[in-house]
Amino acid sequence: VSKDEGLQYWVNEHGLADADWGYLYLTAAHWAICQFTPASMEVGAHNEIERIFALVVVVFALIGFSYIVGSITGSLAQLRQMSETATKEFSKLRKF
């Protein structure tokens, strides 16, 4: 990764231009995980392309998290309905 077209990249801005690819990969993975959580990190976007990429990641994280929460909520509602049905059936059986 180097400077192209006068853009500044996060690798250069944080003095990581000479770091090995493993460290860069772990730093990028750490940044990605921080997008899904309220955690913060010192690495951030330093040009328009990186900022757009960060925005896309956050939007997909929001959609993914919303889907997971919705699925869990739906499953719990279905489980509660099944429990209510069983309770009503047992109540009818006891009355009989």
Side-chain angles (χ1 to χ4, degrees):
V1 178
S2 63
K3 290 185 180 182
D4 281 335
E5 304 168 7
L7 296 177
Q8 295 177 336
Y9 294 97
W10 67 271
V11 173
N12 295 326
E13 287 297 310
H14 294 284
L16 301 173
D18 295 328
D20 67 341
W21 69 270
Y23 184 77
L24 293 175
Y25 181 82
L26 289 175
T27 303
H30 182 199
W31 173 85
I33 295 297
C34 286
Q35 300 308 302
F36 289 87
T37 64
S40 63
M41 181 179 187
E42 69 275 359
V43 173
H46 288 280
N47 62 45
E48 189 174 290
I49 295 169
E50 291 177 351
R51 180 81 50 200
I52 291 169
F53 180 76
L55 181 63
V56 169
V57 169
V58 169
V59 168
F60 277 110
L62 175 67
I63 291 169
F65 182 72
S66 299
Y67 175 78
I68 290 170
V69 169
S71 295
I72 292 171
T73 302
S75 296
L76 288 175
Q78 187 177 16
L79 186 62
R80 184 176 299 162
Q81 183 180 9
M82 289 170 47
S83 177
E84 276 183 28
T85 303
T87 302
K88 287 179 184 178
E89 292 297 321
F90 278 120
S91 176
K92 288 179 186 178
L93 184 62
R94 282 188 209 118
K95 288 180 182 179
F96 179 67

